[in-house]
Amino acid sequence: MNLESEPVSASWSIDPDSREAVYQQIAARLAREIAEGQRAPGERLPAIRTLAAELGVHRDTIALAYERLAHAGWVEGRVGAGTFVRPSEATRESLGSASPLRGSGIRGRVGHATDESAASLEAGVTAEIRLSPQVERLLALADTRPRYATGDDVVALHRLVPDPRFYPLEAFRTCLDEAIREEGPELFSYALPEGDPRLRCAMTDRFRKLGIDRSADELVLCHGASQGISLALRLFSRPGDRIAVEVPTYANVLSALTGLGLEAAPVRMDEHGADPADLDRVLERADVKAFYTIPSFHNPLGTTMPLDRRRQILEIAGRHGVPIIEDGFELDLRFRGEELPPLAALDESGGVVLLFSFSKSLFPGVRVGSISARGRSLEGLVALKHATDLSDARPLQAALARFVESGAYDRHLSRIRAMLGERHEAMARALPGSMPDGTVWTRPEGGYQLWLELPHEVDTRDLLADAARAGVIFSPGSLFMPDGRPSRAMRLTVACADPGEIRRGVEALGEVVDASRAAGPGIGRVAGSHL
Amino acid sequence: MNLESEPVSASWSIDPDSREAVYQQIAARLAREIAEGQRAPGERLPAIRTLAAELGVHRDTIALAYERLAHAGWVEGRVGAGTFVRPSEATRESLGSASPLRGSGIRGRVGHATDESAASLEAGVTAEIRLSPQVERLLALADTRPRYATGDDVVALHRLVPDPRFYPLEAFRTCLDEAIREEGPELFSYALPEGDPRLRCAMTDRFRKLGIDRSADELVLCHGASQGISLALRLFSRPGDRIAVEVPTYANVLSALTGLGLEAAPVRMDEHGADPADLDRVLERADVKAFYTIPSFHNPLGTTMPLDRRRQILEIAGRHGVPIIEDGFELDLRFRGEELPPLAALDESGGVVLLFSFSKSLFPGVRVGSISARGRSLEGLVALKHATDLSDARPLQAALARFVESGAYDRHLSRIRAMLGERHEAMARALPGSMPDGTVWTRPEGGYQLWLELPHEVDTRDLLADAARAGVIFSPGSLFMPDGRPSRAMRLTVACADPGEIRRGVEALGEVVDASRAAGPGIGRVAGSHL
């Protein structure tokens, strides 16, 4: 049988509901055919494009299946020629759950010998170890995520990591040194689950300026806003429940939901944030246990929810008795316009937990975020944090306390905000000349990210490889869709590109976009506008 | 109605399966009686001992209910006289889920005014925020845990935290400084989810000496073994599943199970570890998804599983296809006898994930632990770690890498092991003279903890207060029981007490134990021996 000449889609069954990812099913099927001699050594596998079309799956899925087969030694890629069945079976590895002779069980690798797989294909079977269904789904989700090319000459308009060129390392190191000298060994013992008291006080003082009038006892430090998301989700929900999320939303919250066995309940957005009527409708459902939202400097949109919309959202959530998980991960990064109170500052019911992070305003490596909460929510968070990992690293928290107290953090913020204003300005100047008529994009008042929607039907995932070759990377819009649907949008960031790099990147991107328009109509099923 | 003269147990219904903890139900009932005028201002509440006996609950439960009522302003304690209904309602707070007028919903506190509760009792109800059932259960579990008295003159034989007097702070600070200077800003960006490569290499090299022949890629760094436990549990199970655990077992693994909505499936132990026949029986159940075990320097027993038992356990788990979560949190702390290979070193199926930690061998504040895993388990762990908190703090990992590479860690271990031998020797010398005939205890070959069983029927929880007054604290055996049952055992540690303190503490403990024997027979339902 030769897939090049004979379509396989009729005889292959791809089960989209299987515990195995689609690419795993495909890899397993091909490995079985090779093992059973249906595919001879040296035989070429079908072209990625061909097999994708036959099976009705994305080309990335086929590419991933081939990659797995190559990694396991079953096939090898030859540049420009295709993918070929390898001559010898001696170097083949089991494909784990995709191993043809082992059903769908998970199997670890035995020893280091490269001939292990031949053995494993024949060896007696010990019982299979199974991963939890939510971890299997998480792995399948991870497989759909783009893997970005990297390189020094590539403009990284996809990164949402503060520019290392701006890290105030020397000042922080001094604070760290001071903390260790002053606090001594106790600093290296277990911290309270809620974290270093001095840092919580310093943060509370800053929050007060944003209208968040809570005590230091109502602040739980955690491992970045990302851990805060996991803890807050667990606080209100259990597997099988739904969490209302904006469409689009932060990609990693979708991973967190998947890993916790939760489902996203999508809420439409307009340029002011979550659509009130749609939120009202979604929160009707009894299995929706919380609403995750990013009111300021939305990720990926870059938009900010005005005050009246904030009050509306609070009223709706309050009426339904649904708590709000407010992600304030860039709360300190406003570079123009006036500060708006977070939902947590407007809320009087105790139904809002607010996440905050130093990862974007200072650097991620300090691993400090926080959750503001009240009453039983607060008690629950402290208990969860303790049950999850006891406590965080106090040495870094104590150093950060000194860094904030000394005013160094506010001085750093001034620099960062000025840099943000400058880079967003460069972006706003570069886009009109490079993007086709009808392209729209957001003008953020804070944070690193903005959202751009192309006027023509195209799945921006399909532009990634060309863009990387042209020297620029972006995040395709589908990454931020709860259902992963194609999108003609992309998220751009100014985090790791200076004005010159932004200009260069946007110009390269414009050429790739132009080429895609010239190539004809897109796939005809891309998501509508979010702006 | 006066509870002092009239038993209440007939009219009160305590629902042990309620979402509310028993103490909350009691507090809610009393608050309602006060609110409805059944208990007049100035009236004395029943004595803790009396009400506990009437309701058939532990005295701690009643004490906790009274504490909550006092905290909320409903009652006040007067030293030596009892607990009394407070004169005014103006200072009363809602009891949260125990609030009599709010059903069982959770409510945050509004504002800071002390008269809020009178208002909240009457105000229009906004919808209630509910915590997830597993968080409610976690809070109820936390309420059953002893809260230890502290004080400089108290010998802390309950602490399982390495002695701060031994922390090699200066050497570590040098490594931290060096890491920051050498690696610069990139060190403060996001790490790989699996952590600092250099540290993983250094750890892999050390593991190899224990027979664990895995590559650095098969090691995922995490936030102490505690986070490792949470991740490993989530890797294999989902809420509603069961995890086989030894009886007794590490108290915080019971919290982790509760917080994740998992149930413990108890496995009997003898002095060599988990009982093979009982493990075989427990793993029969389809809903048991993993076996959590501490083969070396068991917590709380202090015992070590011999080689043949290790092979038996592996065979049984392998036959059932149940993965093993091996907790090696004190793996580096053997102070006598010969090293034994961890289960992970003996396993050929990939069905063992091994947790390791620097928290006990160095200090907890570095927050570095690891999970060794293979194949799909490894992939799943990396994805889970990323979805949970992206990554850990690389600056501390990079410093630790240098600390290990330089030999400083091994030199530190020599000191710690000598200290452990000396302190356990002091313990072994002190116990015979202070404890009643028939008392048995373990003689660990590594780690900080040992287990002691009294010869008479007593719930060691009942000795805690007297012991603290006598100047010593221990951990009551019930803390380590999956069902929290009373136990006549206790866990003692040598972590934070030097030989002189150990002698003093054991002597004080002996007197408290003697007094409890003189006081007559115990409650008649304490757990049997685990030795």
Side-chain angles (χ1 to χ4, degrees):
Chain A
M1 184 171 114
N2 184 329
L3 285 177
E4 285 290 50
S5 51
E6 187 183 336
V8 294
S9 43
S11 67
W12 283 26
S13 61
I14 300 293
D15 175 8
D17 297 317
S18 164
R19 208 174 54 81
E20 278 190 10
V22 171
Y23 83 90
Q24 288 177 308
Q25 298 178 47
I26 295 169
R29 173 66 188 239
L30 287 167
R32 194 180 317 128
E33 294 186 350
I34 298 170
E36 292 171 355
Q38 291 175 37
R39 292 179 184 280
E43 182 177 321
R44 184 152 79 95
L45 293 191
I48 287 177
R49 190 177 299 262
T50 312
L51 189 53
E54 281 176 14
L55 296 175
V57 302
H58 197 272
R59 295 197 300 272
D60 285 354
T61 305
I62 305 296
L64 203 58
Y66 284 12
E67 202 175 275
R68 257 188 108 80
L69 285 167
H71 186 75
W74 293 94
V75 302
E76 60 191 0
R78 294 177 204 154
V79 180
T83 305
F84 295 81
V85 177
R86 288 192 63 173
S88 156
E89 287 195 26
T91 56
R92 286 174 198 161
E93 266 189 10
S94 161
L95 281 166
S97 67
S99 168
L101 302 189
R102 294 184 147 267
S104 61
I106 306 306
R107 205 190 60 87
R109 291 184 220 140
V110 182
H112 294 284
T114 48
D115 63 353
E116 65 173 84
S117 56
S120 82
L121 288 172
E122 289 145 28
V125 172
T126 57
E128 295 157 358
I129 302 294
R130 279 179 184 276
L131 305 190
S132 65
Q134 65 269 26
V135 171
E136 287 293 345
R137 281 198 299 269
L138 187 61
L139 285 167
L141 175 65
D143 286 337
T144 69
R145 297 281 166 88
R147 271 151 301 168
Y148 300 104
T150 48
D152 283 345
D153 51 347
V154 173
V155 180
L157 299 182
H158 68 301
R159 295 198 80 191
L160 191 38
V161 178
D163 196 330
R165 292 173 279 194
F166 282 75
Y167 294 179
L169 223 58
E170 206 37 49
F172 188 80
R173 199 165 63 86
T174 307
C175 291
L176 187 53
D177 237 47
E178 201 176 287
I180 297 176
R181 269 188 287 104
E182 284 177 12
E183 306 202 29
E186 276 304 331
L187 197 61
F188 285 83
S189 188
Y190 287 106
L192 293 170
E194 58 267 39
D196 186 71
R198 190 161 160 180
L199 178 57
R200 284 187 289 136
C201 285
M203 289 174 70
T204 304
D205 287 346
R206 297 193 78 259
F207 283 166
R208 201 158 289 133
K209 293 173 196 157
L210 288 171
I212 308 166
D213 194 17
R214 297 188 181 179
S215 75
D217 290 339
E218 291 168 316
L219 198 67
V220 180
L221 300 186
C222 56
H223 215 61
S226 52
Q227 190 187 38
I229 290 172
S230 298
L231 294 174
L233 291 173
R234 290 175 62 194
L235 181 67
F236 297 123
S237 67
R238 63 176 156 184
D241 287 339
R242 284 171 193 276
I243 303 294
V245 299
E246 293 149 342
V247 179
T249 191
Y250 174 41
N252 209 45
V253 88
L254 300 173
S255 304
L257 292 177
T258 303
L260 291 167
L262 299 167
E263 302 285 337
V267 177
R268 275 200 305 274
M269 292 190 77
D270 60 27
E271 72 275 26
H272 299 312
D275 179 80
D278 202 43
L279 181 66
D280 201 13
R281 184 188 61 78
V282 169
L283 299 192
E284 275 297 331
R285 289 189 58 146
D287 61 351
V288 172
K289 296 304 166 74
F291 173 41
Y292 170 83
T293 178
I294 315 170
S296 291
F297 327 133
H298 186 270
N299 185 13
L301 292 190
T303 51
T304 291
M305 192 187 286
L307 189 58
D308 55 344
R309 179 67 64 89
R310 287 175 194 238
R311 295 198 197 276
Q312 266 180 297
I313 298 297
L314 276 171
E315 186 276 322
I316 293 165
R319 184 153 40 75
H320 289 281
V322 173
I324 293 177
I325 302 170
E326 179 181 18
D327 193 339
F329 80 112
E330 287 181 332
L331 217 46
D332 272 346
L333 293 184
R334 178 175 283 279
F335 60 86
R336 64 183 175 93
E338 272 179 43
E339 290 291 359
L340 279 170
L343 297 175
L346 300 169
D347 166 55
E348 296 192 346
S349 73
V352 179
V353 299
L354 172 66
L355 311 178
F356 177 80
S357 175
F358 285 97
S359 295
K360 311 301 180 195
S361 57
L362 180 57
F363 36 58
V366 71
R367 300 315 290 130
V368 177
S370 69
I371 318 177
S372 304
R374 287 171 167 186
R376 282 289 274 183
S377 296
L378 178 66
E379 290 175 38
L381 281 169
V382 172
L384 262 184
K385 175 70 182 161
H386 186 263
T388 300
D389 60 9
L390 300 179
S391 65
D392 282 330
R394 247 191 95 202
L396 294 173
Q397 294 180 349
L400 185 54
R402 284 160 175 79
F403 189 79
V404 173
E405 282 171 5
S406 71
Y409 178 62
D410 280 314
R411 285 193 297 277
H412 174 69
L413 281 182
S414 304
R415 276 183 78 207
I416 294 293
R417 287 174 183 149
M419 172 269 277
L420 278 170
E422 192 181 308
R423 291 184 177 183
H424 275 290
E425 184 60 30
M427 183 64 86
R429 280 176 198 272
L431 285 170
S434 295
M435 290 296 147
D437 282 354
T439 305
V440 291
W441 56 87
T442 56
R443 293 289 309 264
E445 299 183 350
Y448 294 103
Q449 63 282 355
L450 72 154
W451 183 255
L452 178 147
E453 287 176 358
L454 295 174
H456 57 297
E457 293 261 307
V458 61
D459 181 347
T460 49
R461 272 179 293 199
D462 293 334
L463 306 183
L464 263 182
D466 286 343
R469 269 189 292 273
V472 61
I473 318 183
F474 61 87
S475 300
S478 59
L479 183 61
F480 309 98
M481 304 297 160
D483 57 2
R485 78 180 63 176
S487 162
R488 59 188 165 90
M490 54 180 76
R491 187 191 71 180
L492 301 178
T493 73
V494 300
C496 290
D498 63 27
E501 290 163 331
I502 289 169
R503 278 189 293 274
R504 186 153 56 86
V506 167
E507 195 172 315
L509 191 58
E511 284 162 20
V512 172
V513 167
D514 279 346
S516 80
R517 293 181 86 201
I523 54 178
R525 51 187 176 99
V526 299
S529 173
H530 299 280
L531 299 181
Chain B
M1 184 170 117
N2 183 328
L3 286 176
E4 286 290 50
S5 52
E6 189 182 334
V8 293
S9 42
S11 68
W12 282 26
S13 62
I14 300 293
D15 174 8
D17 298 320
S18 165
R19 210 174 53 82
E20 279 189 10
V22 171
Y23 84 90
Q24 288 176 309
Q25 298 179 46
I26 296 170
R29 172 67 189 237
L30 287 167
R32 194 181 315 129
E33 294 186 352
I34 297 169
E36 292 170 356
Q38 291 175 38
R39 294 179 182 278
E43 184 177 319
R44 183 152 80 96
L45 294 190
I48 287 177
R49 190 176 299 261
T50 312
L51 190 53
E54 281 175 15
L55 296 175
V57 301
H58 197 273
R59 295 198 301 271
D60 285 353
T61 305
I62 305 296
L64 203 57
Y66 282 13
E67 204 175 273
R68 258 189 108 80
L69 284 168
H71 186 75
W74 293 94
V75 301
E76 60 191 359
R78 294 178 203 152
V79 180
T83 305
F84 294 82
V85 177
R86 288 193 63 171
S88 155
E89 288 195 24
T91 56
R92 286 171 198 164
E93 264 189 11
S94 160
L95 280 164
S97 67
S99 168
L101 301 189
R102 294 186 147 266
S104 61
I106 306 306
R107 204 191 58 86
R109 289 181 220 143
V110 182
H112 295 285
T114 49
D115 62 355
E116 67 174 82
S117 56
S120 81
L121 289 172
E122 287 143 29
V125 172
T126 58
E128 295 156 357
I129 302 293
R130 281 178 183 276
L131 305 190
S132 64
Q134 64 269 27
V135 171
E136 287 293 344
R137 281 199 298 271
L138 187 61
L139 286 167
L141 175 65
D143 285 337
T144 68
R145 296 281 166 88
R147 273 151 299 170
Y148 300 104
T150 48
D152 284 346
D153 51 347
V154 173
V155 180
L157 299 182
H158 68 300
R159 295 198 80 191
L160 190 40
V161 178
D163 196 330
R165 291 173 280 195
F166 282 76
Y167 293 0
L169 224 58
E170 208 36 51
F172 188 79
R173 199 165 62 86
T174 307
C175 291
L176 188 53
D177 237 47
E178 201 176 288
I180 297 176
R181 267 188 288 106
E182 284 177 13
E183 305 203 27
E186 275 304 330
L187 197 61
F188 285 83
S189 188
Y190 287 107
L192 294 170
E194 57 268 39
D196 186 73
R198 189 161 161 180
L199 178 56
R200 285 187 288 136
C201 285
M203 289 175 70
T204 304
D205 287 346
R206 297 194 77 259
F207 283 167
R208 203 158 286 134
K209 293 174 195 156
L210 288 170
I212 309 166
D213 194 18
R214 297 188 181 179
S215 75
D217 289 339
E218 291 168 315
L219 197 67
V220 180
L221 300 186
C222 57
H223 215 61
S226 52
Q227 190 188 36
I229 291 172
S230 298
L231 293 174
L233 291 173
R234 290 175 61 194
L235 180 67
F236 297 121
S237 67
R238 62 175 156 186
D241 286 339
R242 286 170 191 276
I243 303 293
V245 298
E246 292 150 342
V247 180
T249 191
Y250 175 39
N252 209 47
V253 88
L254 299 173
S255 305
L257 292 177
T258 303
L260 291 168
L262 300 166
E263 302 285 336
V267 177
R268 275 199 305 274
M269 292 189 78
D270 59 28
E271 72 274 28
H272 298 312
D275 179 80
D278 202 43
L279 181 66
D280 201 14
R281 184 187 61 77
V282 169
L283 298 192
E284 273 298 331
R285 290 189 57 147
D287 61 352
V288 173
K289 296 303 166 75
F291 172 40
Y292 170 83
T293 178
I294 316 169
S296 291
F297 327 134
H298 186 269
N299 184 13
L301 293 190
T303 51
T304 291
M305 191 186 284
L307 188 59
D308 55 345
R309 179 68 63 88
R310 287 176 193 236
R311 294 199 196 277
Q312 265 180 299
I313 298 297
L314 276 170
E315 185 275 322
I316 293 164
R319 183 154 38 78
H320 290 280
V322 173
I324 293 178
I325 302 170
E326 178 180 21
D327 192 340
F329 80 112
E330 288 181 331
L331 217 46
D332 272 346
L333 293 184
R334 177 176 285 277
F335 58 88
R336 65 183 175 91
E338 272 180 43
E339 291 291 359
L340 278 170
L343 297 175
L346 300 169
D347 166 56
E348 297 192 346
S349 74
V352 179
V353 298
L354 172 65
L355 311 179
F356 178 80
S357 175
F358 286 95
S359 295
K360 311 301 181 194
S361 57
L362 179 57
F363 36 59
V366 72
R367 301 315 289 132
V368 177
S370 69
I371 319 179
S372 303
R374 288 172 168 184
R376 280 289 274 183
S377 297
L378 178 66
E379 290 174 38
L381 281 168
V382 172
L384 262 183
K385 175 69 182 161
H386 186 263
T388 300
D389 60 10
L390 300 180
S391 65
D392 282 330
R394 244 192 97 201
L396 294 174
Q397 293 179 350
L400 185 54
R402 285 161 174 79
F403 190 79
V404 172
E405 283 170 4
S406 71
Y409 178 61
D410 280 314
R411 286 194 297 277
H412 174 70
L413 280 182
S414 304
R415 275 184 79 207
I416 293 293
R417 288 175 183 149
M419 173 270 275
L420 278 170
E422 192 183 305
R423 290 184 178 185
H424 275 290
E425 183 61 31
M427 182 65 86
R429 280 175 198 274
L431 286 170
S434 295
M435 291 295 148
D437 284 352
T439 306
V440 290
W441 57 86
T442 56
R443 293 290 309 265
E445 298 182 351
Y448 294 102
Q449 64 282 356
L450 71 156
W451 184 254
L452 178 148
E453 287 176 357
L454 295 173
H456 58 295
E457 292 262 306
V458 62
D459 181 348
T460 49
R461 272 180 293 200
D462 293 334
L463 306 183
L464 262 183
D466 286 343
R469 269 189 292 274
V472 61
I473 318 183
F474 61 88
S475 299
S478 59
L479 184 60
F480 309 98
M481 304 297 161
D483 58 0
R485 78 180 62 176
S487 161
R488 60 189 164 88
M490 54 181 76
R491 186 191 71 181
L492 302 177
T493 73
V494 301
C496 289
D498 63 27
E501 291 163 330
I502 288 168
R503 279 189 293 275
R504 187 153 57 84
V506 167
E507 197 173 312
L509 191 58
E511 283 162 19
V512 172
V513 168
D514 279 346
S516 81
R517 293 180 88 201
I523 54 178
R525 51 186 176 98
V526 298
S529 172
H530 300 279
L531 300 181

